[in-house]
């Protein structure tokens, strides 16, 4: 077991094997779960918008995809305001407040929850009189670009800003494995096949109005893991102006969980999980609790909870199967409810379970509706819905947690491999974005879902070709209309035709095959906001914002 400090390059790539799915079918749903958010009203404020961005590397003819819309976009204002210096948002995202309340009860008790995350639009049930989504101000006053929130605009395809390609071209088949914005939006984290975690700062040119001069991005940090990286995540209260909060966690094969300093790229602490044979075992999934005080790690039929302030081997073990009942399989992903003390676990046994944060008690087990093991989970900002997606599975399912087991609608995407394909929600919870194996990016408007929840297929608002290769990662900036995508996958060339009569025929077939294999291993930033120029009075505000956000991580 060796820990590599930042700046080191990995010498090779270990074979990244896929975990086999559990054969056992889990029992059906357990206790119902209820979540109701207390909403607060905030006054909106309009901000300026930058001008037209650079054109994408691919022309529209090469893309082969066109906008799938003509829907009337409901009027909504997504704004971000400033509150206290203390960061009160546990997920570090601007809140979107839903002005409509729902009364739901479980038995004789009314489930109450404090709002510690985003309040977004209800994906299914809506008042016909209209609604207004507003972003509240739990963003810290000292965070970069606080108060600068711009609306997402998906009436047209996003425009490419910049990206990083050269960084991933020096190593053969160095495809990316996702990307994640930091909670304060100042930088982005990537993982790739060379087992190196890279941190990129948000280019300061984006705040200016010379987008044609934005250079290719280069990482400011490289953190080399010893083997295949299974999962990674940011500390939820990360703020680049407070160095003590700037760290991230990663898990790799045959290694403990490492906590990295995001300023210097060095290992600050290690969490060592041991199995029943007292052997070191690697976590397959990671997630900090919203308050950052605990680190949840997923294993085979087991969740281990470490205290963030106490590195080492001491942890709380929470088995997901008790007396042959519960959620079987490897726990592959986590998600925390923004309004209740509840977390969701997805497993390779193709099901998801809901658990209590206090003691890990199983609250509900969702039916097995997916075709492959789950690889990603997301709660809606209001906590009423859970989105699940799996590997080798053509759908993302939206579950109504007020009626566990009920699928509200499904979203079609092409996932033909065992690779983890991420999806993401915008801070308001209105738009869901996901890539697919073919490199296309789809954007769905969850407000267009039928109010009766008939489990019908929801059509994307737009669909465009983001990359030539698999688009495996998507991350929406916490408060700016910027998308980050990552691409690439392991290539398996088909064997050449062995029935050729001459060597020339075989060589010709090999050349043809080589031309068919397209590799696109890249991190790309996209502008998804309106393209109208900003007002003069807002230019000064954004100039001041870029000065406050230009705090380097190294």
């Amino acid at each position: 077991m060796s820990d590599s400090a930042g700046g080191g390059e990995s010498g090779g790539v270990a074979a990244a094997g896929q975990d086999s799915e559990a054969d056992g079918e889990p029992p059906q749903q357990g206790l119902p779960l209820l979540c109701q958010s207390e909403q607060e009203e905030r006054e909106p404020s309009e901000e300026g918008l930058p001008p037209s961005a650079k054109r994408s590397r691919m022309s529209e003819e090469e893309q082969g995809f066109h906008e799938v819309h003509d829907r009337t976009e409901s009027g909504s204002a997504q704004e971000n305001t400033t509150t206290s210096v203390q960061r009160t948002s546990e997920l570090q995202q601007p809140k979107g407040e839903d002005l409509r309340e729902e009364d739901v009860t479980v038995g004789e008790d009314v489930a109450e929850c404090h709002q510690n995350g985003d309040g977004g639009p209800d994906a299914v049930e809506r008042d016909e009189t209209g609604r207004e989504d507003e972003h509240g101000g739990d963003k810290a006053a000292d965070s970069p670009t606080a108060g600068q929130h711009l609306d997402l605009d998906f009436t047209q395809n996003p425009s490419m800003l910049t990206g990083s390609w050269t960084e991933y071209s020096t190593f053969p088949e160095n495809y990316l494995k996702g990307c994640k914005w930091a909670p304060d939006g100042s930088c982005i984290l990537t993982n790739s096949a060379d087992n190196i975690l890279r941190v990129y700062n948000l280019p300061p040119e984006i705040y200016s109005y010379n987008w044609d001069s934005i250079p290719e991005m280069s990482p400011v940090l490289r953190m080399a893991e010893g083997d295949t990286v299974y999962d990674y995540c940011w500390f939820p209260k990360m703020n680049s102006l407070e160095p003590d909060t700037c760290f991230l966690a990663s898990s790799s094969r045959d290694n403990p969980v490492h906590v990295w300093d995001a300023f210097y790229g060095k290992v600050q602490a290690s969490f060592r999980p041991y199995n029943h044979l007292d052997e070191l075992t690697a976590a397959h999934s990671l997630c900090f609790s919203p308050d950052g005080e605990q680190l949840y790690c997923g294993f085979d039929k087991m969740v281990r909870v470490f205290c963030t302030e106490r590195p080492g081997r001491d942890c709380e073990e929470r088995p997901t199967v008790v007396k042959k009942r519960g959620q079987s399989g490897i726990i592959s992903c986590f998600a925390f409810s923004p309004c209740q003390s509840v977390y969701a676990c997805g497993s390779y046994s193709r099901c998801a379970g809901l658990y209590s944060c206090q003691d890990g008690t199983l609250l509900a087990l969702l039916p097995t509706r997916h075709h492959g093991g789950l690889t990603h989970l997301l709660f809606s900002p209001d906590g009423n819905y859970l989105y699940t997606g799996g590997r080798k599975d053509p759908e993302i399912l939206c579950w109504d947690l007020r009626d566990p087991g009920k699928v509200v609608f499904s979203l079609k995407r092409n996932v033909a491999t065992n690779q983890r394909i991420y999806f993401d929600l915008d801070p308001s919870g209105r738009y869901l974005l996901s890539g697919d194996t073919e490199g296309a990016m789809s954007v769905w408007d969850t407000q267009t879902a039928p109010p009766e929840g008939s489990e019908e297929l929801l059509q994307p608002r737009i669909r465009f070709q983001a990359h030539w290769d698999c688009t495996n990662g998507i991350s929406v900036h916490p408060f700016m209309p910027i998308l980050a995508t990552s691409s690439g996958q392991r290539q398996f060339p088909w064997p050449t035709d062995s029935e050729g009569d001459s060597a020339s025929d075989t060589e010709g077939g090999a050349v043809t095959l080589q031309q068919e294999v397209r590799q696109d291993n890249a991190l790309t930033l996209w502008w998804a906001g309106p393209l109208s120029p900003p007002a003069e009075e807002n230019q000064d505000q954004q100039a001041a914002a870029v000065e406050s956000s230009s705090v380097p991580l190294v």
Side-chain angles (χ1 to χ4, degrees):
M1 177 176 63
S2 63
D3 301 337
S4 300
E9 298 290 346
S10 176
V13 178
Q18 295 291 341
D19 299 303
S20 301
E21 298 179 12
D23 296 329
E25 290 294 335
Q28 297 302 314
Q29 64 189 56
L31 301 176
L33 177 72
L34 175 75
C35 181
Q36 176 184 359
S37 301
E38 297 178 2
Q39 308 296 340
E40 301 176 357
E41 298 184 0
R42 287 178 170 84
E43 297 181 1
S45 62
E46 297 184 355
E47 300 294 342
L49 304 172
S52 175
K54 287 199 305 186
R55 296 178 58 189
S56 173
R57 291 179 291 166
M58 296 170 286
S59 64
E60 295 182 358
E61 295 180 358
E62 292 173 324
Q63 292 179 3
F65 291 94
H66 303 284
E67 299 180 4
V68 184
H69 62 289
D70 292 334
R71 296 191 176 95
T72 303
E73 187 172 2
S74 60
S76 65
Q78 300 178 348
E79 310 297 339
N80 188 43
T81 58
T82 303
T83 57
S84 63
V85 176
Q86 297 294 332
R87 302 175 71 91
T88 58
S89 174
E90 296 189 355
L91 293 182
Q92 300 300 320
Q93 295 179 351
K95 296 182 181 178
E97 303 297 338
D98 190 349
L99 301 184
R100 183 174 56 83
E101 298 181 352
E102 298 183 37
D103 297 330
V104 187
T105 60
V106 176
E108 298 178 355
D109 300 328
V110 178
E112 298 181 355
C113 60
H114 63 281
Q115 182 73 25
N116 59 2
D118 300 331
D122 193 299
V124 180
E125 300 178 1
R126 297 178 300 276
D127 293 332
E128 296 182 358
T129 57
R131 57 193 305 163
E132 182 180 0
D133 298 324
E134 299 177 358
H135 283 274
D138 277 9
K139 195 71 179 175
D142 57 352
S143 63
T145 64
Q148 301 291 324
H149 183 85
L150 302 177
D151 293 339
L152 289 168
D153 180 15
F154 289 115
T155 58
Q156 57 187 348
N157 291 344
S159 301
M160 193 189 75
L161 293 173
T162 183
S164 178
W165 307 278
T166 307
E167 179 71 18
Y168 304 98
S169 62
T170 57
F171 188 86
E173 286 196 0
N174 190 19
Y175 56 91
L176 281 85
K177 299 180 180 179
C179 56
K180 298 180 181 181
W181 283 108
D184 70 345
S186 62
C187 53
I188 188 167
L189 174 67
T190 66
N191 176 31
S192 54
D194 59 0
N195 308 327
I196 297 178
L197 299 169
R198 294 173 172 86
V199 175
Y200 295 83
N201 280 340
L202 182 66
E205 293 86 355
I206 289 181
Y207 297 96
S208 67
Y209 309 105
N210 258 339
W211 286 359
D212 290 334
S213 62
I214 300 180
E216 180 178 351
M217 298 169 62
S218 296
V220 295
L221 278 182
R222 296 181 182 89
M223 296 161 283
E225 274 286 9
D227 212 323
T228 302
V229 178
Y230 286 147
D231 202 2
Y232 57 100
C233 61
W234 284 102
F235 180 64
K237 292 184 175 294
M238 182 270 186
N239 183 353
S240 60
L241 299 181
E242 300 176 6
D244 290 342
T245 66
C246 295
F247 58 87
L248 55 101
S250 66
S251 174
S252 62
R253 178 187 296 170
D254 298 331
N255 281 281
V257 176
H258 290 153
V259 174
W260 301 85
D261 187 333
F263 263 80
Y264 303 104
K266 296 182 179 179
V267 175
Q268 294 292 89
S270 295
F271 296 92
R272 302 186 301 275
Y274 288 85
N275 59 18
H276 63 287
L277 299 176
D278 203 32
E279 298 172 339
L280 182 68
T281 180
H284 292 269
S285 54
L286 296 173
C287 191
F288 283 100
S289 60
D291 57 11
E293 295 182 357
Q294 294 175 314
L295 178 62
Y296 285 66
C297 304
F299 303 85
D300 186 12
K301 294 180 287 187
M302 177 70 69
V303 173
R304 291 182 171 90
V305 183
F306 291 89
C307 178
T308 307
E309 297 179 351
R310 193 166 60 249
R313 64 177 296 168
D314 293 337
C315 65
E316 176 188 358
E317 294 189 346
R318 299 180 177 181
T320 58
V321 175
V322 179
K323 296 182 179 179
K324 298 183 180 181
R325 295 181 60 87
Q327 184 177 8
S328 61
I330 294 174
I331 303 301
S332 56
C333 48
F334 289 98
F336 281 85
S337 172
C339 66
Q340 269 197 328
S341 184
V342 171
Y343 65 93
C345 293
S347 72
Y348 287 138
S349 63
R350 301 180 289 127
C351 68
L354 302 170
Y355 299 85
S356 169
C357 290
Q358 280 74 21
D359 54 7
T361 302
L362 179 64
L363 302 176
L365 194 62
L366 303 182
T368 303
R369 294 283 301 270
H370 283 279
H371 302 286
L374 299 189
T375 56
H376 196 44
L377 298 170
L378 274 182
F379 276 93
S380 64
D382 58 12
N384 291 332
Y385 301 96
L386 178 68
Y387 296 90
T388 60
R391 59 188 189 184
K392 286 189 176 180
D393 194 300
E395 291 181 318
I396 298 174
L397 300 180
C398 177
W399 303 84
D400 189 346
L401 299 184
R402 296 162 298 184
D403 184 10
K406 178 182 178 182
V407 176
V408 182
F409 57 84
S410 63
L411 310 173
K412 184 78 171 181
R413 65 173 183 171
N414 179 23
V415 179
T417 67
N418 284 327
Q419 189 175 17
R420 188 192 301 263
I421 307 294
Y422 289 92
F423 54 88
D424 199 9
L425 284 167
D426 77 303
S428 72
R430 175 177 180 179
Y431 295 110
L432 188 143
L433 303 88
S434 176
D436 64 18
T437 305
E438 301 300 324
M441 176 64 62
S442 300
V443 181
W444 291 271
D445 187 348
T446 61
Q447 287 188 353
T448 62
E452 64 275 5
S454 57
E455 300 189 21
E456 70 177 44
L457 184 66
L458 189 64
Q459 297 299 323
R461 180 178 181 85
I462 62 171
R463 189 167 184 255
F464 65 97
Q465 192 75 23
H467 298 275
W468 289 121
D469 209 344
C470 172
T471 302
N472 53 61
I474 172 66
S475 185
V476 182
H477 195 275
F479 50 88
M480 293 187 67
I482 299 176
L483 313 177
T485 60
S486 61
S487 63
Q489 62 182 332
R490 178 174 288 110
Q491 303 289 345
F492 296 96
W494 293 97
T496 58
D497 188 5
S498 60
E499 298 179 359
D501 296 334
S502 63
S504 61
D505 294 337
T506 304
E507 292 176 359
V511 171
T512 303
L513 178 65
Q514 187 68 22
Q515 292 176 352
E516 292 177 356
V517 176
R518 273 181 163 177
Q519 293 191 9
D520 183 7
N521 305 326
L523 168 70
T524 307
L525 299 187
W526 306 82
W527 179 262
L531 301 179
S532 57
E536 294 182 359
E537 56 187 23
N538 290 327
Q539 293 184 10
D540 296 335
Q541 297 178 4
Q542 290 195 353
V546 67
E547 292 179 1
S548 64
S549 65
S550 57
V551 179
L553 289 180
V554 290

